Amino acid sequence: SAVISQKPSRDICQRGTSLTIQCQVDSQVTMMFWYRQQPGQSLTLIATANQGSEATYESGFVIDKFPISRPNLTFSTLTVSNMSPEDSSIYLCSVHEMGSSYNEQFFGPGTRLTVL
Amino acid sequence: GESVGLHLPTLSVQEGDNSIINCAYSNSASDYFIWYKQESGKGPQFIIDIRSNMDKRQGQRVTVLLNKTVKHLSLQIAATQPGDSAVYFCAENLGDSWGKLQFGAGTQVVVTP
């Protein structure tokens, strides 16, 4: 199974600043995603990180606010831009793996962001 | 200040008993469902999945049941252990491609000795 690491694991940021979160996978994966988990709530898909092209955003999320890079099949970044306290959440990287006998989706440990 | 999150439904289970966690899903076209376990401070951990052409699937100490008629999913944990204490989420695949999941609200399972 894929092992996913994220940096930073947590951060406290000031309103109006931006934070870039890194996601590293220990194997090449085709499909990579970013999710958000607001305090005490469930997970919501932000976007699909596409290698070599622009990310595909879900309703309610836009590129100017959450720019995403995917330079290769093992790495992606999510930037939370011009942050406000409402952006305080856990941001999770996720990958999907499919083989001849399995089909699984894995999540990283998350980046816990607090915006003051 | 920090916003107050929703209070999750809580299931209290005595150690050794069986747990049943329920989930209603919204999209009748969903064809793939997953149960995740999330411990405090960690990302969701895959437990078990089921495709819409099945109504039951068993894993190690876990069973997932799918009732497509009423759009209901359940996770049964046999002989619940303290390590099973966590938040459990069901998720459905959004359908147009793998990996795009819609998560349920989550259930907090508390195992008491």
Side-chain angles (χ1 to χ4, degrees):
Chain A
S1 61
V3 176
I4 305 170
S5 58
Q6 288 185 231
K7 288 182 184 179
S9 58
R10 59 177 60 230
D11 208 343
I12 300 174
C13 300
Q14 296 297 320
R15 181 196 299 259
T17 62
S18 297
L19 176 72
T20 296
I21 301 167
Q22 298 180 3
C23 175
Q24 180 73 54
V25 189
D26 69 342
S27 58
Q28 293 188 337
V29 292
T30 305
M31 291 174 279
M32 215 160 173
F33 307 88
W34 286 97
Y35 284 79
R36 179 175 76 179
Q37 187 174 25
Q38 293 177 299
Q41 297 192 31
S42 187
L43 285 79
T44 301
L45 177 64
I46 298 172
T48 304
N50 301 308
Q51 196 264 331
S53 64
E54 195 171 280
T56 306
Y57 291 85
E58 298 300 308
S59 176
F61 298 97
V62 295
I63 188 170
D64 290 347
K65 177 66 176 176
F66 297 102
I68 288 171
S69 79
R70 178 95 192 267
N72 56 51
L73 293 177
T74 64
F75 186 78
S76 179
T77 66
L78 168 76
T79 298
V80 186
S81 302
N82 188 24
M83 288 183 283
S84 67
E86 291 71 35
D87 295 320
S88 297
S89 292
I90 301 171
Y91 292 87
L92 298 122
C93 175
S94 177
V95 303
H96 183 264
E97 283 196 321
M98 187 185 299
S100 58
S101 61
Y102 66 91
N103 182 10
E104 289 194 26
Q105 182 134 356
F106 302 96
F107 284 83
T111 295
R112 185 178 296 268
L113 171 62
T114 302
V115 184
L116 302 178
Chain B
E2 187 177 51
S3 61
V4 177
L6 297 173
H7 289 287
L8 292 171
T10 299
L11 176 67
S12 291
V13 184
Q14 196 152 17
E15 184 177 355
D17 287 352
N18 297 334
S19 304
I20 299 177
I21 307 163
N22 296 303
C23 178
Y25 64 92
S26 55
N27 187 355
S28 57
S30 293
D31 59 0
Y32 180 62
F33 306 87
I34 312 173
W35 279 101
Y36 284 95
K37 171 186 180 183
Q38 188 176 29
E39 296 173 283
S40 181
K42 297 184 179 180
Q45 176 188 354
F46 177 98
I47 301 173
I48 191 168
D49 61 355
I50 189 167
R51 297 204 183 196
S52 59
N53 61 353
M54 305 171 70
D55 53 21
K56 180 179 180 179
R57 189 162 187 232
Q58 289 184 289
Q60 188 176 13
R61 278 202 309 119
V62 294
T63 301
V64 55
L65 300 177
L66 174 63
N67 185 331
K68 294 181 286 293
T69 303
V70 295
K71 294 188 285 187
H72 184 268
L73 198 64
S74 69
L75 178 70
Q76 301 177 3
I77 305 173
T80 311
Q81 302 169 358
D84 295 326
S85 292
V87 177
Y88 290 79
F89 293 99
C90 65
E92 57 185 301
N93 199 69
L94 288 177
D96 54 349
S97 66
W98 293 112
K100 296 173 65 174
L101 301 178
Q102 179 166 295
F103 280 77
T107 298
Q108 175 85 56
V109 172
V110 177
V111 182
T112 57

